[in-house]
Amino acid sequence: MSGTVRHDLPEADDFTRPYWDAAAQGRLLLRRCGACGRAHHYPREFCPHCWADEDRVTWETASGRATLYTWSVIHRNDLPPFGTRVPYTAAVVDLAEGPRMMTEVVDCEAAALRIGMPLKVTFREAAEGVWVAVFRPEPQG
C-alpha cells in the first residue's frame, strides 16, 4: 500500500499517545473525571460531562468488558484499506465503565449478533506498531 492514503489509522498526538501506547500493550484506556467521577471515551483533555479541566481528568485502564448496543454489517467501502476487509461489522458498544464506543466486532458471524450480548476487547494491529481496539463475543461459562 505504499503511497496509498489509509483511512483506518489514528492521528496520534502528544495528548493521545498514552492511549495508543496502552493499546499496543493490549490495554484499553479511558479518561475519568475526578470532579464528577464519570468516565468518557474518546479521550479528551476536559470532562465532557461537567467541563472539569485537564488537571482533574486522568487515564485509567478499562476492564475491557462491553455490551453490544448496535451494529451494521458493511458490505462496501471504497476507502483504503476497508475494501479489502468487507464484509465487516461496524458497531457501537457500551463499555462496562459507562462510555459508549464506536468499534468493530470480530470473530462473530453477523447472524449471531444480539443487542446486549457481552463482548470483550481485543486488539488488531492496523499498521506496524499501531493497534486498535476491536471487540469479540465474550466466552460464556
Side-chain angles (χ1 to χ4, degrees):
M1 258 194 221
S2 180
T4 302
V5 174
R6 299 258 323 246
H7 296 276
D8 66 330
L9 298 178
E11 293 184 25
D13 58 24
D14 289 342
F15 170 70
T16 61
R17 179 66 46 212
Y19 178 85
W20 299 112
D21 288 349
Q25 298 167 4
R27 294 183 303 120
L28 177 63
L29 292 186
L30 298 173
R31 300 278 287 166
R32 184 169 301 274
C33 178
C36 72
R38 293 179 69 183
H40 64 269
H41 184 81
Y42 62 92
R44 285 162 273 200
E45 294 180 18
F46 63 91
C47 176
H49 305 291
C50 74
W51 299 99
D53 60 11
E54 62 187 295
D55 63 337
R56 300 295 309 271
V57 183
T58 58
W59 294 103
E60 75 174 41
T61 301
S63 67
R65 294 185 338 267
T67 57
L68 185 58
Y69 177 75
T70 191
W71 74 93
S72 180
V73 178
I74 309 301
H75 294 279
R76 180 181 173 134
N77 188 335
D78 295 331
L79 296 174
F82 295 107
T84 62
R85 295 203 302 245
V86 293
Y88 62 91
T89 304
V92 177
V93 300
D94 288 328
L95 300 174
E97 293 79 8
R100 194 163 274 168
M101 178 180 177
M102 293 182 69
T103 187
E104 184 178 338
V105 174
V106 298
D107 301 333
C108 186
E109 295 294 325
L113 296 170
R114 299 289 181 264
I115 291 173
M117 75 184 297
L119 302 170
K120 185 75 175 162
V121 74
T122 189
F123 294 86
R124 176 178 60 218
E125 191 171 23
E128 187 175 340
V130 179
W131 293 80
V132 295
V134 296
F135 286 77
R136 65 170 36 121
E138 187 166 35
Q140 301 301 303

